[in-house]
Amino acid sequence: MIVIRSLVFLICAFILTFLMGIAAIPVRLVFKRSALAYARLWCRLLLRMLHVICGIDYRVVGYELLPKEGPFLIASQHQSAFDTLLWMTLLPAPAYVMKEELTKIPLVGPMLLLTGMMPVERSAGAKALRSLLKVTDQAVAAGRQIIIFPEGTRVPWGQKEPLKPGVAAMARHSGLPLFPVATDSGRFWGRAAFLKYPGTISVVVCPAVSGRDRAALLGDIEEAWSKGQERIASGL
C-alpha cells in the first residue's frame, strides 16, 4: 500500500507541478506581484496531497516564538523536500536561501527568482559569501523571513553534517534574530526517497540564538537542534 500511495503521490505531484508551471507563464509576464502567492498555493496543494494520499501530517511546536511580521532568520534542519514546502505556507513573506542551479529548472526556475528566493553559487568561495550577504540585505529591506538550511544538503534523520558558516555571517551581518528549527521529517519522507511513510512530522521552533563569534553561534544552533530532537523523541 505504501508503494502504491507513494507512486500516486509522485504522479500527482508531477502533474500539478507541470500544469501550474505552464499556468505560471501569465504570472511571470503580467501578474508578477502574484508570484509569491501563486508559489505558496503550489506548496499548500502539495502538502494537502501528501496528507490525503500518503497519510503524512505535521505539527509545529514553538511557532508562537516567531515574530508576527518583519524579517528574521530560520536555521532549519534539512532532511526532506517537506522542509522546503512547510515555511512557504506558514510565513507571510518567506525567502529561502537555495542553490543557484535550481534557477535553471524549466518553468520552476524563473518563478523562484520572481518570488524573491535567494540563489547562491555555493562553489564560488568568498564571492558566494558576498553574494549571500547582498541578497540578505535585499530580503531584509523587503521585510522577508529568511529560511536557510545550514547543513547545505538534505541529511538523513538521526545523522549529522557540519554546519556551513554562511548562516553565522548572515546573522551577524543583518543583526536579525535567528531561530533554530529541529524536525524529524526524514523519518517519513527521506532524502531523495520514493517511499513516503504515514505519520505526523514534528517541527520544533527553538528560542532565538544570537551574537558572539561564528563557532559559538554554530554551536548554539546545534545545541538547540539537539534539544529540539529530545523534545521530539519524548513525544513533545
Side-chain angles (χ1 to χ4, degrees):
M1 183 61 73
I2 290 177
V3 173
I4 295 175
R5 286 186 173 189
S6 299
L7 179 60
V8 171
F9 173 79
L10 181 64
I11 294 171
C12 291
F14 175 82
I15 293 173
L16 175 68
T17 301
F18 178 76
L19 292 179
M20 291 194 69
I22 295 295
I25 294 176
V27 177
R28 289 160 48 192
L29 297 177
V30 182
F31 306 105
K32 296 181 180 181
R33 292 186 178 181
S34 300
L36 182 59
Y38 190 82
R40 296 178 71 190
L41 173 62
W42 175 75
C43 292
R44 287 193 184 96
L45 291 174
L46 280 178
L47 289 178
R48 183 60 182 166
M49 288 166 49
L50 190 67
H51 173 67
V52 172
I53 299 172
C54 299
I56 295 178
D57 204 348
Y58 63 88
R59 57 190 169 192
V60 180
V61 177
Y63 182 78
E64 69 280 358
L65 296 174
L66 300 176
K68 302 303 181 185
E69 59 184 14
F72 54 84
L73 288 164
I74 285 180
S76 176
Q77 290 185 308
H78 193 16
Q79 302 170 7
S80 167
F82 168 86
D83 310 317
T84 65
L85 301 173
L86 178 66
W87 298 104
M88 285 291 283
T89 70
L90 295 180
L91 301 176
Y96 287 78
V97 178
M98 65 182 194
K99 299 180 293 185
E100 187 180 45
E101 50 262 40
L102 294 177
T103 64
K104 308 295 194 301
I105 300 174
L107 300 179
V108 174
M111 283 295 289
L112 291 173
L113 293 173
L114 193 57
T115 55
M117 299 302 113
M118 304 167 61
V120 176
E121 186 180 355
R122 296 184 300 179
S123 61
K127 180 181 177 182
L129 180 57
R130 290 194 298 270
S131 173
L132 178 62
L133 297 183
K134 179 179 178 180
V135 294
T136 298
D137 287 338
Q138 293 170 348
V140 172
R144 305 292 292 269
Q145 299 83 48
I146 302 170
I147 302 94
I148 184 170
F149 302 110
E151 294 156 305
T153 187
R154 281 174 283 184
V155 179
W157 177 68
Q159 297 185 23
K160 293 185 177 182
E161 187 78 15
L163 305 190
K164 304 296 187 291
V167 63
M170 292 172 66
R172 296 174 65 189
H173 176 77
S174 66
L176 294 176
L178 188 156
F179 296 88
V181 171
T183 183
D184 64 347
S185 59
R187 295 175 58 195
F188 307 92
W189 183 356
R191 174 181 177 177
F194 167 69
L195 295 179
K196 281 109 182 132
Y197 296 92
T200 301
I201 295 172
S202 296
V203 179
V204 178
V205 179
C206 305
V209 297
S210 63
R212 302 195 294 169
D213 58 61
R214 181 179 71 184
L217 185 58
L218 296 180
D220 287 345
I221 294 172
E222 291 184 321
E223 181 180 357
W225 283 355
S226 295
K227 291 180 179 178
Q229 289 295 341
E230 290 174 2
R231 293 188 65 184
I232 292 173
S234 66
L236 306 178

